[in-house]
Amino acid sequence: MSVLNDVLAANASYAADFGDKGSLALPPARRFAILTCMDARLDPAKYAGLAEGDAHVIRNAGGRASDDAIRSLVISYKLLGTAEWFVVHHTDCGMEFFTNDVMSGLLSSSLETAALGADGFTDVGAGPGSDEGKYINWLTISDAEGSVVEDVLRIRNHPLVPSGIPIYGYIYDVRSGRLVEVPAAKEAGRAR
Ligand SMILES: [Zn+2]
């Protein structure tokens, strides 16, 4: 229960000092959105200078342009007025360390947490697992820059995304905290 208690204690202290944030408007004040990875080392509020109410942050494993990420982006502009989007992947992403076949194999073997070693992930759990993993596209990454370009292009070419929204593609360096532009993504995401 210690994580639960820690989170509730942190929230009590946050709420005690909430100030005037209760009057923030629903649409993001700075009218932009960031699609990024769920990696625990990334804090978009810090690396992009966000305060409550500023921007939409959409996160998933890899920061990939999945159907669900696109669902959120479309809601973000169509209903809530964002006008610029960022796709931010990062160095040392866990999505580079497995493939669809590896993931479905690990899950078929057991549902316990796998071990990550020099040769990638190995299953160390007691079975049974499930074959359901074979039917999911895990959207793994084999080329960090290529995945940013692919996702920017998918969003750019989506029929529900207006051509006037610029989409910026960056890689966050987990060693330095810097956002590094992906030149081919810049070209792919240019507003038209
Ligand atoms: Zn990641």
Side-chain angles (χ1 to χ4, degrees):
M1 296 293 279
S2 93
V3 168
L4 176 58
N5 291 336
D6 290 350
V7 167
L8 294 178
N11 178 251
S13 119
Y14 177 73
D17 206 13
F18 201 55
D20 58 5
K21 291 194 279 286
S23 58
L24 285 170
L26 168 59
R30 293 173 60 198
R31 302 186 66 213
F32 70 95
I34 298 175
L35 169 61
T36 197
C37 185
M38 68 184 189
D39 191 294
R41 295 167 292 183
L42 276 59
D43 186 343
K46 289 179 181 157
Y47 76 56
L50 308 179
E52 291 91 335
D54 273 354
H56 285 146
V57 177
I58 300 149
R59 302 188 73 166
N60 63 34
R64 302 306 314 266
S66 61
D67 289 348
D68 195 64
I70 288 173
R71 176 186 71 89
S72 294
L73 286 169
V74 170
I75 289 170
S76 178
Y77 92 80
K78 182 68 181 176
L79 303 181
L80 297 165
T82 60
E84 295 173 81
W85 295 345
F86 292 77
V87 172
V88 181
H89 295 179
H90 65 99
T91 59
D92 197 40
C93 186
M95 300 296 281
E96 296 172 12
F97 304 144
F98 65 100
T99 60
N100 277 340
D101 283 349
V102 167
M103 183 62 164
S104 60
L106 293 169
L107 287 164
S108 292
S109 168
S110 89
L111 301 185
E112 291 175 42
T113 300
L116 177 59
D119 295 328
F121 290 99
T122 326
D123 206 72
V124 291
S130 165
D131 290 337
E132 274 298 314
K134 291 177 183 166
Y135 304 99
I136 292 177
N137 182 351
W138 298 94
L139 300 174
T140 60
I141 292 173
S142 57
D143 164 26
E145 293 206 355
S147 69
V148 174
V149 176
E150 184 181 325
D151 286 358
V152 166
L153 267 178
R154 182 172 190 220
I155 297 165
R156 172 81 296 148
N157 294 330
H158 197 281
L160 296 178
V161 171
S163 59
I165 295 182
I167 306 161
Y168 313 120
Y170 281 80
I171 292 178
Y172 172 90
D173 185 335
V174 296
R175 296 217 182 125
S176 67
R178 283 185 197 284
L179 289 173
V180 179
E181 188 174 62
V182 177
K186 180 182 190 178
E187 190 50 42
R190 201 183 291 282
R192 287 165 191 167

